[in-house]
Amino acid sequence: MPSSPSKSTDKPDSSPAPHRPTWLRWFLRAILWIAGLATAAAFGLALTIAVALAVAYPNLPDISDLADYRPKLPLRVYSAEGALLGEFGEERRNLTPIGEIPKVMKDAVLAIEDARFFQHGGVDYKGVVRAGLANLGRVKSQGASTITMQVARNVYLSSEKTFTRKIYEILLTFKLEHLLSKDQILEIYMNQIYLGNRAYGFAAASEAYFGKPLKAVSVAEAAMLAGLPKAPSAYNPISNPKRARSRQLYIIERMEENGFITAQQATDAKKEELKIRSGPDNTRIHAEYVAEMARQLIFTQYGNEAYTRGLNVYTTLNAAEQEAAYGSLRRGIMDYERRQQYRGPEKFVALPTAAQEVEDAIDDALANHPDNGDVLSAVVLEASPRKIIAARANGDNLEITGDGLKPAQSGLSDKAPPNIKIRRGAVIRVVKTPKNAWEITQLPEVEGAFVALDPRSGAIRALVGGFDFDKNKFNHAAQAWRQPGSSFKPFIYSAALEKGFTPATVINDAPLFFDAGVTGGQPWEPKNYDGKYDGPMSMRTGLAKSKNMISIRILQAVGPKTAQEWVSRFGFDAEKHPAYLTMALGAGSVTPLQMATAYSVFANGGYRVNPWLIAKVTDHKGRVISETTPPVTSEQPRAIDARNAFIMNSLLQEVTRSGTAARAQSTLKRPDLYGKTGTTNDSVDAWFAGYQPTIAAVTWIGYDTPRNLGSRETGGGLSLPVWINFMERALKGVPVMEPTVPAGVVNVGGEWFYEEYARHSGISSVGIDDRSASPAVAPHAPPPAEERNRILDLFRN
């Protein structure tokens, strides 16, 4: 029988659900608590940071001035042509607009400092991650500071590494990015960053390390410069060339990786041999004394701002003439030094036997005895009466033989005292001779000065205040008050022309003696330099031969008081030239600059000009702040009559033609040269003062502490060659200038006279130059009869 359908037995499962393990419940609960606490902490931190930012942001420095970026810029002094003469200020910097910075320099900086500079908003988050991964992976360390962050840090913040400073740095970064364009930020960075060697900014660094403008740098040079911001000392190519080279190569690779240069350019840059400037700038014009004069003048006007405003001072100096003056004076002084006794080595050092230790000892010794221009320092390795071998700081060994040993022969003698003896370890000086051989020498103790003016305006065209500025900063050209000796005689002669004297006046060159009753002190018996007396001679001959007795007799006739007043017309200080007969021999006090100014009166026809140096001052953008208009000669005050100047020119021309300075015309082969030698008592000071109508120049040589230069040393032998050497270059291409005869001057029998004196003396007017028929000034009255008789009595005596 069919079975009956069964009943469903499905019922709901009423059994209890299995329980979770207790540990799992606690774990989940802990997770929830931790998440809650983390959320609260994050919220609290965010709130704290927000409050900190709200408080800090208003206290951030005002950066609006960066929109018109004005860093500290040094004071620069230039020649008239724009050649750099000197630079003053703590920071050496050339402010360069971003548009003038070459692309290769910008690319090199971006490649190593901030390749994504133009993509990020100030903080490079990708860069931060990349740097962190690179540093964890121990590959070459990478930084995360962007260029904007570096600008914020370098311009406004300290270098301390604190959390607070980092917050301020980030805030400033955002503020800079908001207010300035990317180009403005990059311009500030590339001008502000310190790059070692006193250089701030890449333009100054290019000059400091390569001696070239930034626009001329190559890929290799740009890479070298771009390596400096990280550590200017560690990557300095002068002091640390190996580390600098390693970083340069890495930057070149980074430039290639970032697509700034091609593979071929990278290869070429790595092979390029860089010429690093390792010593002083030998290309700069040697005008340290002039630069210092300009600095003092500008500081007087602008104070400390002179060193930060970026002022450019353009002087009246002619660069070529300045170099000629510098070289001529140094040559003259070194020529004198060759005639002096050898004083011995500057120092003795103990040289070890090991090669490396010897090099180190030489480096240390020569670091304290640096080169002085072309006078080089060296350490003796071997010495004998026939040969010296000496080492230079650059590792070169020099061999000195033959004539090169003569200046120091006394130091090579077996009997030389220990302080003179040249031996191993002696620090000596050497120079290169014209024959390209080495000669031993010594740094001179004697000093000198040279100054040249344009006599028509007073503009200083060249000035050298001493042998070497670093050795002696005292400016002998402007500050040394010395006796002028016979170079002062022309001013006494000029006074005599106004008292009835003429170039033809005959005066007795005979001995003179003044007892104590006349002098008011010790008896005085002056002598001629050579001790000889030639009897009666014309005033012209007396000046040409520089006869002391002639000058004294002239001053007796003129009167010391009258002469004292007369010389003040030329710019001399009357109180420095007491009204005594010794004035006739130049016993007063003058400076070389004063002498050049005084001789300019003769050169320009009788006008008094004042020396001046600064022609123009501009700011760092070239805008003119002040400018001097060259004075017109005819508008200057007249010091002496044109006739007086003309006849004095004739007398001073005779000195350079047949007198004590005859070497001038015979060497330079031109007649338009005028001047006077000067040698003081006991040959303490040696002078030559002279001129050509376009330039007046004076040379002085002597010791700072006055002492005898040598029994045979004179102005004609010491100072005149310096003047000739300078004029040879300064007058190159300048045509010979014939003087114009002024009205009131006549020529009789080949000699020049004031017209009224020629008439009064009964000289026939036959042959008188008709160009002088109408005097330009009122004729001088002839001397009174009693004064003429007194003069004639002096001549007879």
Side-chain angles (χ1 to χ4, degrees):
M1 94 179 263
S3 60
S4 60
S6 61
K7 295 181 180 178
S8 173
T9 58
D10 293 339
K11 294 181 180 179
D13 187 2
S14 59
S15 61
H19 292 283
R20 292 190 180 93
T22 302
W23 66 268
L24 181 59
R25 291 201 305 275
W26 280 108
F27 176 76
L28 293 174
R29 191 174 298 171
I31 291 294
L32 292 174
W33 273 101
I34 291 172
L37 289 173
T39 302
F43 179 77
L45 180 62
L47 184 62
T48 301
I49 292 175
V51 172
L53 294 180
V55 173
Y57 198 85
N59 293 324
L60 292 176
D62 181 15
I63 65 172
S64 59
D65 57 336
L66 282 184
D68 185 19
Y69 174 59
R70 294 182 181 180
K72 292 181 179 179
L73 298 175
L75 168 69
R76 290 190 174 91
V77 181
Y78 297 91
S79 71
E81 306 88 350
L84 183 63
L85 306 180
E87 193 173 41
F88 301 93
E90 294 181 6
E91 301 180 2
R92 181 184 297 164
R93 191 195 310 271
N94 293 325
L95 183 58
T96 309
I98 191 66
E100 296 178 16
I101 298 175
K103 183 177 184 298
V104 66
M105 189 69 251
K106 289 185 282 190
D107 289 345
V109 169
L110 294 175
I112 191 62
E113 294 294 333
D114 192 354
R116 299 187 65 255
F117 172 71
F118 286 99
Q119 283 76 50
H120 62 67
V123 176
D124 186 5
Y125 303 105
K126 291 183 180 179
V128 171
V129 174
R130 184 181 65 252
L133 294 175
N135 295 336
L136 286 174
R138 294 186 178 181
V139 298
K140 188 177 284 288
S141 177
Q142 296 183 13
S145 287
T146 65
I147 283 177
T148 312
M149 293 170 72
Q150 291 183 58
V151 169
R153 182 166 63 246
N154 292 330
V155 176
Y156 291 107
L157 303 175
S158 67
S159 58
E160 62 175 346
K161 296 182 179 181
T162 63
F163 179 76
T164 303
R165 198 223 66 182
K166 196 66 179 176
I167 290 294
Y168 272 94
E169 181 181 311
I170 293 173
L171 290 176
L172 271 174
T173 297
F174 289 138
K175 194 171 184 179
L176 285 170
E177 289 278 347
H178 176 69
L179 293 178
L180 303 178
S181 68
K182 287 288 188 179
D183 277 346
Q184 285 177 304
I185 295 170
L186 186 59
E187 178 182 293
I188 294 168
Y189 176 81
M190 300 195 75
N191 281 282
Q192 178 71 21
I193 195 75
Y194 177 62
L195 300 171
N197 208 26
R198 284 183 52 231
Y200 287 77
F202 287 95
S206 178
E207 293 284 355
Y209 294 110
F210 301 122
K212 60 166 60 176
L214 185 61
K215 63 183 180 182
V217 296
S218 64
V219 172
E221 290 166 335
M224 181 70 79
L225 294 176
L228 290 165
K230 182 177 181 181
S233 178
Y235 297 115
N236 187 313
I238 296 175
S239 57
N240 287 302
K242 290 183 180 178
R243 294 189 67 182
R245 170 66 172 165
S246 175
R247 184 155 177 82
Q248 177 213 28
L249 295 176
Y250 173 64
I251 293 174
I252 292 172
E253 293 172 0
R254 293 278 297 160
M255 293 177 73
E256 183 184 357
E257 290 173 10
N258 284 279
F260 292 133
I261 58 175
T262 65
Q264 185 59 50
Q265 286 177 306
T267 301
D268 294 341
K270 290 177 180 180
K271 292 179 180 178
E272 183 178 334
E273 185 175 344
L274 302 186
K275 295 180 180 179
I276 306 295
R277 173 184 288 169
S278 57
D281 183 3
N282 293 323
T283 64
R284 181 173 293 183
I285 304 299
H286 289 285
E288 295 84 355
Y289 291 97
V290 173
E292 174 60 17
M293 289 173 69
R295 182 199 69 79
Q296 292 178 18
L297 291 169
I298 295 299
F299 179 78
T300 300
Q301 185 171 359
Y302 295 97
N304 288 325
E305 283 191 0
Y307 308 130
T308 60
R309 289 183 57 180
L311 298 177
N312 299 308
V313 181
Y314 293 88
T315 66
T316 57
L317 226 64
N318 179 286
E321 291 175 9
Q322 177 65 26
E323 280 298 275
Y326 174 82
S328 298
L329 182 63
R330 281 182 67 96
R331 182 190 301 179
I333 289 176
M334 291 307 297
D335 286 345
Y336 170 78
E337 195 59 45
R338 287 187 182 91
R339 300 192 290 272
Q340 306 313 301
Q341 185 174 0
Y342 187 62
R343 296 183 293 274
E346 295 180 15
K347 186 181 180 181
F348 296 94
V349 295
L351 294 181
T353 54
Q356 184 57 51
E357 293 179 0
V358 169
E359 290 182 10
D360 293 342
I362 290 172
D363 289 345
D364 291 341
L366 297 184
N368 295 320
H369 296 267
D371 295 342
N372 188 298
D374 55 354
V375 183
L376 311 180
S377 58
V379 176
V380 173
L381 300 178
E382 300 176 23
S384 72
R386 294 188 176 183
K387 182 172 69 173
I388 289 176
I389 295 179
R392 293 270 295 128
N394 60 6
D396 292 345
N397 285 351
L398 314 177
E399 185 174 295
I400 310 169
T401 59
D403 291 342
L405 298 174
K406 287 184 178 179
Q409 202 63 50
S410 60
L412 294 169
S413 169
D414 292 335
K415 298 180 180 179
N419 63 317
I420 302 296
K421 180 73 173 176
I422 299 175
R423 58 185 183 272
R424 179 177 169 85
V427 178
I428 62 171
R429 294 283 169 171
V430 296
V431 292
K432 210 64 170 295
T433 68
K435 296 180 180 180
N436 205 34
W438 290 105
E439 179 181 85
I440 191 168
T441 187
Q442 55 192 347
L443 283 177
E445 291 182 344
V446 75
E447 273 294 354
F450 186 93
V451 60
L453 305 178
D454 184 334
R456 300 160 295 186
S457 67
I460 297 175
R461 291 169 58 169
L463 186 147
V464 185
F467 179 77
D468 181 75
F469 183 78
D470 292 329
K471 177 173 170 276
N472 187 347
K473 292 178 171 56
F474 182 73
N475 188 342
H476 299 83
Q479 297 173 300
W481 291 93
R482 307 293 293 222
Q483 289 188 342
S486 296
S487 62
F488 195 74
K489 289 176 181 176
F491 307 106
I492 305 300
Y493 278 59
S494 172
L497 293 179
E498 303 303 306
K499 290 293 184 178
F501 286 76
T502 74
T505 301
V506 177
I507 308 168
N508 193 16
D509 177 32
L512 286 167
F513 177 79
F514 302 91
D515 59 30
V518 175
T519 64
Q522 296 295 319
W524 182 42
E525 187 176 6
K527 299 181 182 299
N528 286 326
Y529 174 78
D530 57 6
K532 298 177 181 179
Y533 303 93
D534 297 334
M537 64 179 63
S538 69
M539 192 167 83
R540 176 180 291 277
T541 303
L543 185 61
K545 292 186 174 183
S546 196
K547 291 291 188 176
N548 290 341
M549 301 306 106
I550 303 294
S551 297
I552 293 172
R553 283 188 161 90
I554 289 174
L555 183 56
Q556 279 184 301
V558 170
K561 280 287 186 183
T562 300
Q564 184 188 44
E565 184 279 329
W566 185 260
V567 301
S568 66
R569 294 168 175 249
F570 296 85
F572 295 116
D573 302 327
E575 65 273 13
K576 290 188 179 293
H577 300 274
Y580 302 119
L581 292 178
T582 52
M583 190 196 312
L585 307 184
S589 297
V590 301
T591 68
L593 183 58
Q594 224 179 26
M595 287 291 277
T597 305
Y599 270 79
S600 293
V601 175
F602 295 140
N604 65 32
Y607 295 95
R608 166 84 178 274
V609 294
N610 291 314
W612 56 289
L613 178 64
I614 296 179
K616 182 174 65 175
V617 179
T618 70
D619 64 14
H620 70 280
K621 292 185 177 180
R623 293 174 297 210
V624 176
I625 297 174
S626 64
E627 191 167 10
T628 301
T629 303
V632 178
T633 307
S634 60
E635 295 178 357
Q636 299 300 304
R638 180 169 282 284
I640 60 175
D641 190 89
R643 301 186 305 170
N644 189 302
F646 176 82
I647 291 181
M648 285 307 305
N649 284 344
S650 175
L651 293 174
L652 292 171
Q653 187 179 40
E654 188 68 37
V655 177
T656 64
R657 187 186 70 82
S658 65
T660 56
R663 185 176 174 181
Q665 287 197 35
S666 65
T667 302
L668 298 176
K669 309 298 183 186
R670 55 189 301 155
D672 57 340
L673 302 175
Y674 314 80
K676 183 70 184 73
T677 55
T679 310
T680 61
N681 195 34
D682 293 329
S683 297
V684 170
D685 298 275
W687 294 81
F688 185 76
Y691 56 91
Q692 189 268 352
T694 63
I695 187 166
V698 171
T699 308
W700 166 84
I701 293 177
Y703 288 98
D704 276 338
T705 301
R707 61 185 170 99
N708 190 286
L709 288 163
S711 59
R712 297 185 178 181
E713 303 295 351
T714 65
L718 265 180
S719 295
L720 176 60
V722 175
W723 188 90
I724 291 173
N725 191 263
F726 169 80
M727 284 295 192
E728 191 170 25
R729 288 183 255 183
L731 296 179
K732 190 174 183 179
V734 177
V736 172
M737 300 180 68
E738 293 292 338
T740 301
V741 182
V745 175
V746 298
N747 189 287
V748 179
E751 189 56 273
W752 296 102
F753 298 87
Y754 285 4
E755 187 176 22
E756 66 272 23
Y757 291 172
R759 251 193 339 265
H760 186 83
S761 300
I763 299 173
S764 170
S765 61
V766 176
I768 293 178
D769 194 321
D770 59 10
R771 287 175 295 179
S772 55
S774 55
V777 296
H780 289 252
E786 61 272 17
E787 185 171 346
R788 288 178 59 80
N789 291 333
R790 182 167 62 87
I791 293 172
L792 292 172
D793 287 340
L794 287 169
F795 298 162
R796 286 191 287 269
N797 294 334

